[in-house]
Amino acid sequence: MIRAPRAVRVLPLLLLPLLLVSCGTEEAGAGADTGTGTGTGTGTEGADKGTGGSADPADPAELAARAQALGIAPELVYVTEAPGFAVAQQSVGVFGGDGFHTAYFSQKTHAQFELFVDRGTLTAENCQKTQVGQGSGESVACERDGDAWYRKAGGQHEYAVPRDGHVIRLVGDANRLDRAVLRKAAEATHHPDAAELSALLPPAPDGTAATEPVERGDLPPVGDGAPNNEVGASG
């Protein structure tokens, strides 16, 4: 089951336009304007593959350090590509326990969608029981589309792509964002390359990049590894 977001770390869609107008949009890349139409065809075989082709992959240690500094599991950090849309960097943060959240915004049309990644799965058994976006309390309609699910509830719609132990979800206003845009964004989801990581997540604070455990000089070489705190008879 997808967990509810931490309210202080996730930026609701309805607040994004006000923030972006007042503070300016920090972009992590944008493309051409989007078209309209309905999604056709099946499959999301493009998932987890960047469309840039020869882009340098992100350094795993750097990705881990930057993500963990925000409380995000590195394997749950994804980006996507949607023509005319750019990442709203103010929206980047943790979702649920250690999941990932960001939002994409179009300066021209003011359309927007959110990208959520969290642990769990989505199946025919739990699809209608799992909220769309951050939940509306209304019934959920589920439609299989290749290896993804197209879902609608309470004026929102989303594409949800189950991966190995987690689900990537792209959510938008059904009246303002075309299904085809969401579908193409779902197909384009992938782990960030080096340039995307640099633009997406802030540098990790000093001292957070270490991944090896610190050596303890007071641990005995045998036994259960408990520290030797013996100080003798006089202690």
Side-chain angles (χ1 to χ4, degrees):
M1 181 65 67
I2 297 173
R3 297 182 291 272
R6 296 178 184 173
V8 297
R9 302 296 293 277
V10 174
L11 189 65
L13 273 173
L14 294 177
L15 297 181
L16 270 176
L18 296 177
L19 180 59
L20 297 176
V21 170
S22 61
C23 300
T25 304
E26 296 293 333
E27 297 186 357
D33 294 331
T34 59
T36 59
T38 56
T40 58
T42 59
T44 54
E45 59 275 7
D48 206 28
K49 296 179 183 178
T51 59
S54 61
D56 295 330
D59 176 67
E62 180 69 12
L63 171 59
R66 291 188 179 207
Q68 291 170 353
L70 297 177
I72 302 166
E75 67 272 20
L76 302 184
V77 178
Y78 280 81
V79 294
T80 190
E81 298 173 4
F85 288 79
V87 169
Q89 287 187 316
Q90 302 94 329
S91 69
V92 175
V94 68
F95 173 71
D98 59 355
F100 176 71
H101 167 270
T102 191
Y104 287 75
F105 182 77
S106 169
Q107 288 275 24
K108 181 175 182 179
T109 67
H110 295 168
Q112 52 202 9
F113 64 87
E114 293 181 279
L115 186 155
F116 297 92
V117 188
D118 201 14
R119 300 190 187 279
T121 189
L122 197 65
T123 65
E125 288 70 30
N126 69 0
C127 185
Q128 291 183 316
K129 302 175 184 178
T130 304
Q131 65 183 10
V132 171
Q134 298 185 50
S136 64
E138 299 190 28
S139 60
V140 178
C142 296
E143 175 188 333
R144 191 71 175 174
D145 189 347
D147 61 356
W149 290 94
Y150 175 66
R151 310 169 66 234
K152 295 184 69 175
Q156 290 187 305
H157 62 163
E158 76 171 26
Y159 264 91
V161 187
R163 308 299 290 176
D164 185 14
H166 56 274
V167 181
I168 306 165
R169 299 188 297 133
L170 298 99
V171 188
D173 187 325
N175 297 316
R176 294 178 57 86
L177 187 71
D178 194 83
R179 174 177 175 175
V181 175
L182 276 183
R183 190 181 192 282
K184 290 178 181 178
E187 291 177 343
T189 54
H190 59 279
H191 292 297
D193 61 34
E196 289 168 329
L197 175 62
S198 179
L200 183 69
L201 300 181
D206 292 340
T208 62
T211 58
E212 295 297 324
V214 177
E215 290 288 336
R216 287 281 303 275
D218 61 343
L219 295 180
V222 295
D224 63 2
N228 184 0
N229 295 320
E230 185 177 351
V231 294
S234 63

